[in-house]
Amino acid sequence: MADSTDFVRQAIAEDVAAGRFGGRVQTRFPPEPNGYLHIGHVKAICINFEIAKEHGAVCNLRFDDTNPTKESVEYANAIEHDIRWLGYDWPKTLYASDYFEALHGFAIKLIKAGKAFVDHSSAEEISRLRGRERGGEDSPYRNRSVEENLALFEKMCAGELAEGECVLRAKIDMRHPNPNLRDPTLYRIMKATHHRTGDRWKVYPMYDWAHGQSDSLEGVTHSLCSLEFEDHRPLYNWFCEQLEIETPRQIEFARLNMTHCLMSKRHLLRLVEGGHVKGWDDPRMPTVAGLRRRGYPAEALRDFVKRVGVAKYNSTVDHRLLEFVVREVLNRTATRRLGVLDPLKLVVTNYPEGEEESFEAQDMPGVDGTGTRQVPFARELWIDRDCFAEDPPKGWKRLAPGWEVRLRYACLVTCTDVVKDASGKVTEVHCTWDPESRGGATADNRKVKGTIHWVSAKHALDAEVRLYDHLFPESPDEGEGDVLERLNPNSLTVVTAKVEPSLAAAEAGTRLQLERVGYFAVDPDSAPGKLVLNRTVTLKDGYKPGKPPAPPKGQGKQKQKPKPKPAKPAAPTGPAAELAFEQFAALDLRVARVKTAEPVEGADRLLKIGLELADGEQRTVVSGIRAYYSPEALVGRQVVYLANLKPRKLRGVLSQGMILAANGPEGEAILLEPERALPDGAKVT
């Protein structure tokens, strides 16, 4: 998995060493069965299962089946299949619905303790009262008696009240800076049939109510989840504390974001239901099912997650890293075969008509003990159109008039003539072969321009080959309007290729390399007499992890000019240089509350400001806003704080970050404050 020093593993190791949870480790992966898993889920799966494995512990699979209107057995079965395909297993499949009785009892306990109430406010009214700024307002139903709340909740559970008529809410603090603790909803009325419990329940728990208690009931010690649940952690802890049950430790890590990929099941469902793709397993989809059908090996997905690592701050990974890892795995595991995507007839004019022979080809060139096969050869062959140039450019290493090349595994041929159609397009290439070069070598060891791939026209199979491009531009979530409006209309191209006859019996899922062409997988649509191949990845794209992208084609290497002496920078007159999205995403912007503020001695413009983040964490920042804000005016305010700036000393004070401010119309500094009420330490996105 990842480096053993990542912060999640460090935290768990510290808990084990301290004897927390009796030195025990237990994790879980809790998907909602409302869609198929995607590449983002793979990171969470690998982290949870691998950490459990490292400690000789159990990782549960527990379905969050709390919304029967969106869930199905199909999704649950697909999720189980995907996780097992990735290489993981678990003792028993669990469900949040296993705990519906216990959760119901917990709700009764909160009501009796005066910490939950039935609210008849509409969803819109509840949202308004919870507030978007510094605090909410109490519901008019908040002070109902315990007896009234128990009676109403019983009616909710019995199905005597209509859907949407009321909900059960926790009674916490409507003015809490963390909106998640402003009397959250615990149960809503849903008269829907559940795929496991049938019509037993008329009310269903909200995710936030079921999540933490399910972990506790299962004995989960470490709840490992992505950063969007960081602000929910205080709520989960509050529930467990009030119910007097063990509180698992929640640790959040950065989710996996990747260029060209949508990581939203809601949008992926729209792609499927709108017919924009051919199902959840369409090879263009970022789903595990789609990647598997495209030919991505499970080993490559696990290795990709390992390379991405476990971080605390969100960022976006270049999709080419995933393709790079896939190539690495396929290069050492995929069987080689011959095939051409854009067939051009090659006629060996001095080869006897009607005759044929075969040449030995290696299944895995350079790998001992991997076997060979016989590839048929005859007078007429197919080569790829891009292996021939009538007017070859500089550096050309394939076939051209008068040039000799090697046919892979077969022989040497020399181009003698071409045949064109009325439009001037080359339709045939005529060559002669050297019969003494069988196998591709000659007695005189003469050098040739290059090696090209081929198949016998008489023996070749037709194959439907599906060539895939990205469904979306680099950042599909950016921009205005519907994200589906940015779909790439050319994400799928279908061609009829010619491949060697040994592929006639290839089974669905078989991964192979068409030599000098790319990596492919046999699609499940294949049938006897109908071969369908999906291109997994191209043979190479020049990408190397950690290196900048190559210059555009045609530019090549430029001669380096002597470095000029550094000049004094001119005053800026226009926009700054463009910033890569990955650089911007690395900024960790947090909400902080000013606890102290005082002038910096000997500096007219500087204030020394003490900030408080989550859980009492303190930071000191030096800011040049003294001319615009008095210390008294700052204390108690929430500000936006850049948390991952390298500390530096200013006038003898170590400044651990930066408070963000903007220029006002008169040139004054205006502090940036969160647009809505957020808990101290919350991430600003």
Side-chain angles (χ1 to χ4, degrees):
M1 191 45 209
D3 187 343
S4 60
T5 60
D6 71 61
F7 75 96
V8 174
R9 285 171 167 80
Q10 283 181 342
I12 295 175
E14 290 168 2
D15 286 345
V16 171
R20 189 176 183 183
F21 306 111
R24 195 173 59 85
V25 173
Q26 183 172 321
T27 61
R28 84 288 176 271
F29 176 63
E32 184 177 359
N34 62 353
Y36 281 56
L37 297 179
H38 56 62
I39 184 67
H41 294 112
V42 174
K43 179 177 181 179
I45 291 167
C46 290
I47 289 174
N48 278 283
F49 278 93
E50 292 287 348
I51 285 178
K53 185 189 301 183
E54 291 162 13
H55 290 272
V58 169
C59 176
N60 288 340
L61 169 63
R62 182 185 72 240
F63 287 108
D64 168 40
D65 55 340
T66 56
N67 188 349
T69 63
K70 294 184 178 180
E71 298 156 5
S72 74
V73 175
E74 174 199 349
Y75 294 144
N77 290 341
I79 289 170
E80 290 196 47
H81 177 63
D82 287 347
I83 299 174
R84 287 196 171 96
W85 175 78
L86 284 168
Y88 303 110
D89 211 339
W90 53 95
K92 178 184 177 182
T93 300
L94 302 171
Y95 300 83
S97 55
D98 293 336
Y99 312 117
F100 279 0
E101 289 286 356
L103 292 168
H104 177 264
F106 288 152
I108 297 295
K109 184 173 181 177
L110 281 189
I111 294 173
K112 288 181 176 180
K115 295 174 181 176
F117 67 100
V118 175
D119 193 346
H120 277 75
S121 303
S122 67
E124 294 75 14
E125 186 67 5
I126 290 175
S127 178
R128 186 188 69 79
L129 290 174
R130 292 188 77 189
R132 295 184 179 179
E133 300 300 330
R134 295 196 173 276
E137 302 174 37
D138 289 352
S139 164
Y141 305 97
R142 196 173 194 266
N143 295 319
R144 279 175 159 156
S145 68
V146 168
E147 293 73 21
E148 186 178 5
N149 284 318
L150 285 172
L152 286 170
F153 187 54
E154 184 177 346
K155 287 186 176 182
M156 289 174 61
C157 295
E160 296 176 15
L161 302 179
E163 288 191 7
E165 186 173 342
C166 57
V167 295
L168 181 70
R169 296 174 66 185
K171 189 188 293 186
I172 306 178
D173 181 0
M174 284 299 289
R175 288 153 192 81
H176 198 284
N178 185 339
N180 292 297
L181 277 81
R182 294 180 192 164
D183 294 4
T185 298
L186 308 183
Y187 278 95
R188 74 282 208 202
I189 301 171
M190 296 180 71
K191 296 180 181 180
T193 300
H194 190 280
H195 70 278
R196 293 189 72 244
T197 62
D199 297 322
R200 162 70 179 84
W201 296 95
K202 309 303 180 188
V203 295
Y204 288 93
M206 302 297 290
Y207 177 84
D208 279 352
W209 171 244
H211 181 76
Q213 290 89 285
S214 296
D215 280 348
S216 184
L217 290 166
E218 279 176 22
V220 170
T221 60
H222 294 84
S223 170
L224 310 179
C225 54
S226 49
L227 280 176
E228 59 261 38
F229 294 101
E230 185 175 26
D231 295 340
H232 296 250
R233 178 173 12 113
L235 176 60
Y236 302 153
N237 292 347
W238 187 90
F239 285 145
C240 290
E241 290 163 6
Q242 301 306 311
L243 297 169
E244 299 177 300
I245 58 178
E246 188 165 53
T247 305
R249 182 179 182 186
Q250 179 170 304
I251 306 174
E252 305 88 7
F253 53 83
R255 63 182 292 175
L256 175 60
N257 297 310
M258 191 161 60
T259 58
H260 303 287
C261 287
L262 278 177
M263 299 296 188
S264 162
K265 281 194 286 187
R266 178 174 61 87
H267 284 317
L268 296 178
L269 179 62
R270 292 179 62 205
L271 288 173
V272 174
E273 292 183 338
H276 303 287
V277 294
K278 299 176 181 179
W280 286 97
D281 66 343
D282 188 301
R284 292 167 291 179
M285 292 279 274
T287 56
V288 176
L291 298 174
R292 178 171 59 245
R293 184 171 180 176
R294 185 161 174 166
Y296 283 31
E299 176 188 351
L301 298 188
R302 295 194 304 269
D303 189 32
F304 170 67
V305 169
K306 180 178 179 180
R307 295 191 188 209
V308 169
V310 184
K312 184 66 177 177
Y313 306 113
N314 284 323
S315 61
T316 301
V317 179
D318 193 326
H319 190 277
R320 293 179 301 168
L321 174 60
L322 175 58
E323 294 180 339
F324 177 87
V325 175
V326 169
R327 286 189 190 92
E328 280 193 331
V329 174
L330 292 178
N331 184 52
R332 63 175 184 267
T333 60
T335 301
R336 272 50 167 180
R337 291 293 183 263
L338 294 177
V340 298
L341 297 187
D342 188 5
L344 173 64
K345 182 69 67 69
L346 184 147
V347 180
V348 185
T349 56
N350 63 334
Y351 192 88
E353 290 191 39
E355 290 191 14
E356 59 185 67
E357 59 186 289
S358 62
F359 293 103
E360 185 176 64
Q362 296 177 323
D363 290 338
M364 293 283 288
V367 181
D368 293 337
T370 53
T372 61
R373 67 194 186 281
Q374 295 296 314
V375 180
F377 180 89
R379 177 184 173 90
E380 293 188 352
L381 310 173
W382 295 112
I383 64 171
D384 255 316
R385 185 168 293 276
D386 64 5
C387 285
F388 174 78
E390 193 172 11
D391 184 16
K394 184 178 180 181
W396 184 254
K397 293 183 178 180
R398 282 163 278 183
L399 191 60
W403 289 26
E404 186 177 46
V405 298
R406 178 181 293 104
L407 297 182
R408 180 72 162 156
Y409 301 120
C411 59
L412 304 186
V413 296
T414 302
C415 179
T416 58
D417 196 9
V418 297
V419 178
K420 300 180 182 181
D421 62 15
S423 67
K425 180 180 179 180
V426 175
T427 57
E428 282 186 11
V429 176
H430 290 183
C431 291
T432 57
W433 78 310
D434 178 358
E436 303 301 319
S437 67
R438 282 180 168 86
T442 60
D444 59 1
N445 291 319
R446 65 181 181 271
K447 295 183 179 180
V448 295
K449 293 292 184 181
T451 300
I452 65 175
H453 50 283
W454 57 277
V455 291
S456 166
K458 177 181 177 181
H459 303 90
L461 301 176
D462 283 345
E464 177 185 315
V465 177
R466 299 167 181 174
L467 308 175
Y468 298 104
D469 197 357
H470 298 297
L471 270 175
F472 290 99
E474 185 165 346
S475 301
D477 288 325
E478 292 185 0
E480 298 179 356
D482 189 346
V483 67
L484 299 190
E485 294 176 356
R486 293 187 283 282
L487 276 169
N488 175 12
N490 301 312
S491 61
L492 171 61
T493 302
V494 180
V495 300
T496 299
K498 305 290 185 179
V499 299
E500 65 173 82
S502 66
L503 287 173
E507 296 181 354
T510 299
R511 302 185 188 97
L512 57 106
Q513 181 197 111
L514 292 183
E515 292 199 51
R516 310 178 65 80
V517 177
Y519 294 100
F520 297 81
V522 180
D523 189 84
D525 287 345
S526 294
K530 179 191 176 184
L531 179 64
V532 180
L533 298 178
N534 297 322
R535 184 168 66 186
T536 307
V537 285
T538 55
L539 206 57
K540 57 184 178 179
D541 72 352
Y543 172 76
K544 292 184 178 180
K547 291 190 176 183
K553 288 184 179 180
Q555 290 187 8
K557 284 188 176 180
Q558 302 295 323
K559 186 176 180 180
Q560 293 187 348
K561 297 180 180 179
K563 293 183 179 180
K565 294 181 179 180
K568 184 178 180 181
T573 58
E578 291 184 354
L579 189 69
F581 178 78
E582 290 79 4
Q583 294 172 290
F584 179 79
L587 301 180
D588 184 26
L589 301 178
R590 297 272 168 175
V591 173
R593 190 174 299 276
V594 178
K595 302 297 289 186
T596 62
E598 59 183 82
V600 175
E601 186 176 352
D604 295 337
R605 298 175 58 247
L606 301 181
L607 286 176
K608 177 183 175 183
I609 300 171
L611 300 177
E612 184 173 85
L613 279 75
D615 301 324
E617 183 182 356
Q618 306 286 329
R619 297 287 180 91
T620 298
V621 170
V622 176
S623 181
I625 58 174
R626 184 174 173 183
Y628 310 105
Y629 293 93
S630 67
E632 297 77 17
L634 289 173
V635 174
R637 298 180 69 156
Q638 277 194 326
V639 294
V640 177
Y641 161 68
L642 178 56
N644 60 341
L645 193 65
K646 185 176 180 180
R648 60 173 181 158
K649 277 195 173 183
L650 296 172
R651 291 298 181 104
V653 180
L654 185 64
S655 182
Q656 301 169 295
M658 177 187 293
I659 294 176
L660 299 191
N663 287 330
E666 304 299 327
E668 74 276 17
I670 299 177
L671 283 175
L672 296 187
E673 300 182 78
E675 294 182 0
R676 61 187 188 280
L678 293 172
D680 297 339
K683 188 171 179 64
V684 178
T685 56

